[in-house]
Each structure stands twice: as C-alpha cells, then as structure tokens.
Amino acid sequence: MTPDQVRWYVERARRMSPGDAMTRVRDQARQRAWQRRRVRPGQTVAPVQARRPRPFPTTLDLALASEVPAPARAALVAAAERLRNGHWDTFGIERRDLVAPDWFLDPV
C-alpha cells in the first residue's frame, strides 16, 4: 500500500461518525466469522441440526380446507407432487437437481 493510499484511508476514517465506524467494524467481523464457515468446492460437510425443534407457528382450522375450491386444491396437490418427484420451476427454468442441487448454478 502506498503512502497516498494510507493517507486516504486515515482521512476517510477521521471523517466517519462513530455509528458508521461501529457498523463497518461489525460488518467486517460478521464477514470474517462467515468466511471461516464457508464450504469450499469439493468439501463435504454434515448438515447443521437445529438446537430445538421449530414448529410451524400457524395452525389452520381444518374446516377451511372444505372452503378451498376443488381446482385450486388439485393444482396445489399437483405442484406438491412435482416437487416430491424432483421437479421445481424457478425463474421460468425447470430444475431437476433437488436431491443434490448446484447452489451456484445460474439458470439463465
């Protein structure tokens, strides 16, 4: 780093408010913490288990199911079956890799 660059950073830091400085320090700490947990290509890791079960927070009255129109109910069941069979449309592209997805694939 050149002396001019160091001078620029020092001047920039002097002009920052304390709140801005703390936000940037927290952001850097968060980035470093996540960097240690990053999964590298070819690396396998065990899934993380939840510390406690997370129940679905909303319950629906079973009587409401009879109020859903039959075509909508059939469409929902068909969409769920497509997911169970490994087909998922996202951004207009059909994904067939739900078992072992490529999280970095750009479908476009």
Side-chain angles (χ1 to χ4, degrees):
M1 193 178 286
T2 67
D4 286 338
Q5 289 173 319
V6 171
R7 195 172 311 123
W8 184 89
Y9 281 110
V10 168
E11 285 300 315
R12 174 69 179 107
R14 286 180 50 202
R15 289 191 170 99
M16 290 170 69
S17 70
D20 189 23
M22 280 306 300
T23 299
R24 289 174 185 266
V25 167
R26 261 191 311 246
D27 185 51
Q28 286 296 314
R30 189 177 298 125
Q31 286 182 27
R32 290 223 166 90
W34 276 104
Q35 195 172 34
R36 287 191 300 268
R37 297 180 67 184
R38 187 172 64 189
V39 178
R40 308 257 188 266
Q43 181 183 2
T44 57
V45 293
V48 177
Q49 298 295 322
R51 291 187 181 119
R52 58 184 165 77
R54 296 181 181 162
F56 190 69
T58 305
T59 57
L60 298 175
D61 184 4
L62 293 178
L64 289 176
S66 63
E67 295 181 26
V68 176
R73 198 171 338 150
L76 179 62
V77 170
E81 285 298 323
R82 283 183 49 77
L83 273 173
R84 285 185 55 196
N85 292 329
H87 302 281
W88 178 34
D89 290 333
T90 179
F91 301 119
I93 306 290
E94 183 174 341
R95 297 289 301 263
R96 296 175 181 250
D97 60 348
L98 292 182
V99 173
D102 178 2
W103 296 110
F104 301 102
L105 173 72
D106 181 0
V108 178

